[in-house]
Amino acid sequence: MSGDERSRLLGAAVDDALADALGEVAASVRGGRVADYIPELADADPDGFGVSIASVLGRVYGAGDVAAEFTIQSASKPFVYAFASDELGGEAVHRRVGVEPSGEPFNAISLDAQGRPENPFINAGAIVTTSLVPAADADERFARIRDALSRFAGRELDLDDEVYRSEAVTGHRNRALAGLALAVGSLATADVDSATDPYFRQCSLVVTTEDLALMGATLANGGVHPLTRDRVVSERAARDTLSVMATCGMYDRSGAWAFRVGMPAKSGVGGGIVAVRPGEFGVGVYSPPLDEAGNSLRGVAMLEALSDRFGLHMFDHTRVPTSPVGEASVDRETRTVTLALRGELDFLAAEQAVHDAGRLVLHVDARALRLDFTDVTLITAVAEQLLRTTAAAAEEAGLDVEFPGAPQGFDRGIG
Ligand code: GLN
């Protein structure tokens, strides 16, 4: 078999499907404006366009300019937020920054009723989040942030020094936002620069669509990088981050985004967008021209196309739930109902199992119930609770109950 034939068998179909969607968006979506508040961003190639997808199993696909380098800008915010939440716990973070969509542009001067920036993804909130990263000074703070973002990407990320210098020279509004946060007691550092300087530098880290896809996949995978297997943040920090991305990731377009695309996401003025299908994929797109909200125009269109074509919207329910019950059988002679459970038992699976067991027991007026756990690979706490309660109910109704292979302690209160 030729190398080409092998690669076609090994998933080139996915690259082809991405290339199809990219080609269509490139042909039909034009316009937007490349960010020009600093010269380095204004120089970006307006025709640069790429997409990458990384699965939680570590497979990476792409089409277009997947190797083009650009600064991460605001797409850094969810990862710094995840890092700060992981270090300090969500509660400490949210004493200083809220979790409400602001409905305002990214650089708005906005504080909620408690005097906190409304969320960690508008600039005011992002600067507060950066200030929360424990460090002795600005240099150490940035070093820690860079290290965390590099672990999310699975490789060392470089700083674009020229972009950083320009951001710092022109960043009066961001310094003003930090000053306001300091005045209301929201900023965690004693001075403005210890927060804004690492913030300007985090925005100036250089990434590709592949990096964004893998960073997103790490969040999709509960905080563990799919390739390096590094646990970058806790499961809870990853979940919190996805929650805020789902509600506040696209600034004042977050509602339309949730409606049309339905994936937790975050954009940056460098033209990048990172999006996540929790438990499945991270997606990175790049196209510099922006819409009026500061989100990549073609990037948004590309993610909308992917959401539709690949069924990635979080409220899409096209998946057929697999039955958790390997075999439900009845021995007519002994009036025994056996439920052979298998695979991963979560709430949904246990709900089905409990329902099936109850229905069969009543239908045949059973004398015995066997819940066979032998082929179960994983069971969540709630699933175990539902099955235990059902077993106890059967016992109380006078049935003989057996549960071979049940998790340790399952028999508490039964038999
Ligand atoms: N560096 C930019 C700023 O802070 C990032 C903004 C963005 O990407 N939306 O203004």
Side-chain angles (χ1 to χ4, degrees), residues 37-38 41 71-77 106-107 121 123 126-127 163 167 171 173-174 177 199-200 203-204 251 266-272 290 293-295:
Y37 67 94
I38 54 173
L41 288 182
T71 50
I72 188 168
Q73 298 291 351
S74 286
S76 62
K77 292 169 180 173
F106 69 90
N107 56 6
F121 296 165
N123 285 9
I127 294 166
V163 171
E167 294 280 353
R173 192 178 175 101
N174 284 325
L177 292 170
Y199 171 77
F200 293 139
C203 287
S204 307
Y251 309 122
K266 186 71 208 78
S267 60
V269 288
L290 309 176
N295 299 320

Side-chain angles (χ1 to χ4, degrees), residues 115-384:
R116 306 167 303 180
E118 252 146 341
N119 67 65
F121 296 165
I122 52 172
N123 285 9
I127 294 166
V128 167
T129 312
T130 297
S131 81
L132 277 162
V133 171
D137 56 26
D139 284 343
E140 189 191 329
R141 186 161 294 112
F142 173 64
R144 298 201 66 210
I145 287 174
R146 176 185 182 163
D147 179 60
L149 266 57
S150 296
R151 287 172 63 199
F152 268 112
R155 72 174 187 104
E156 189 71 32
L157 297 179
D158 287 328
L159 178 75
D160 184 326
D161 219 44
E162 279 166 26
V163 171
Y164 159 56
R165 276 175 218 285
S166 281
E167 294 280 353
V169 169
T170 60
H172 308 303
R173 192 178 175 101
N174 284 325
R175 274 188 291 271
L177 292 170
L180 183 65
L182 181 61
V184 298
S186 167
L187 206 71
T189 53
D191 66 290
V192 162
D193 292 337
S194 306
T196 52
D197 185 69
Y199 171 77
F200 293 139
R201 286 195 269 177
Q202 87 186 40
C203 287
S204 307
L205 288 169
V206 177
V207 291
T208 62
T209 55
E210 205 164 294
D211 291 322
L212 289 182
L214 280 163
M215 293 171 89
T218 301
L219 290 177
N221 198 34
V224 175
H225 191 285
L227 291 173
T228 65
R229 308 304 307 165
D230 182 12
R231 170 162 291 289
V232 185
V233 292
S234 67
E235 245 178 86
R236 182 54 195 247
R239 188 188 96 171
D240 288 352
T241 306
L242 291 173
S243 306
V244 188
M245 289 168 81
T247 49
C248 310
M250 303 301 275
Y251 309 122
D252 43 340
R253 296 294 164 79
S254 294
W257 176 268
F259 184 76
R260 283 161 47 185
V261 180
M263 279 189 264
K266 186 71 208 78
S267 60
V269 288
I273 302 178
V274 56
V276 178
R277 167 85 180 173
E280 297 181 12
F281 294 102
V283 186
V285 296
Y286 165 66
S287 164
L290 309 176
D291 62 21
E292 312 85 76
N295 299 320
S296 166
L297 187 84
R298 276 183 167 169
V300 170
M302 183 65 198
L303 279 158
E304 194 175 346
L306 284 185
S307 175
D308 282 347
R309 289 180 182 216
F310 295 12
L312 300 182
H313 194 291
M314 61 180 135
F315 298 127
D316 268 342
H317 264 283
T318 47
R319 263 195 306 183
V320 185
T322 50
S323 169
V325 181
E327 188 120 4
S329 56
V330 178
D331 183 329
R332 301 263 166 198
E333 198 84 2
T334 60
R335 301 224 304 271
T336 299
V337 169
T338 299
L339 226 52
L341 304 162
R342 67 155 186 240
E344 301 188 354
L345 294 191
D346 59 3
F347 174 72
L348 188 78
E351 182 276 331
Q352 272 190 60
V354 163
H355 175 264
D356 286 357
R359 208 172 32 98
L360 271 176
V361 163
L362 294 178
H363 185 66
V364 304
D365 189 19
R367 286 209 200 113
L369 173 64
R370 289 188 78 226
L371 297 175
D372 188 345
F373 288 79
T374 315
D375 292 329
V376 170
T377 53
L378 183 141
I379 182 162
T380 65
V382 66
E384 189 177 330

Side-chain angles (χ1 to χ4, degrees), residues 34-99:
V34 175
D36 56 4
Y37 67 94
I38 54 173
E40 292 77 13
L41 288 182
D43 282 349
D45 173 11
D47 295 323
F49 193 17
V51 60
S52 295
I53 284 193
S55 78
V56 295
L57 298 176
R59 290 187 284 267
V60 182
Y61 306 96
D65 297 319
V66 293
E69 297 189 322
F70 52 96
T71 50
I72 188 168
Q73 298 291 351
S74 286
S76 62
K77 292 169 180 173
F79 303 101
V80 176
Y81 168 77
F83 179 47
S85 298
D86 189 54
E87 289 270 307
L88 305 169
E91 219 173 289
V93 171
H94 291 296
R95 273 200 288 276
R96 294 176 186 270
V97 57
V99 284

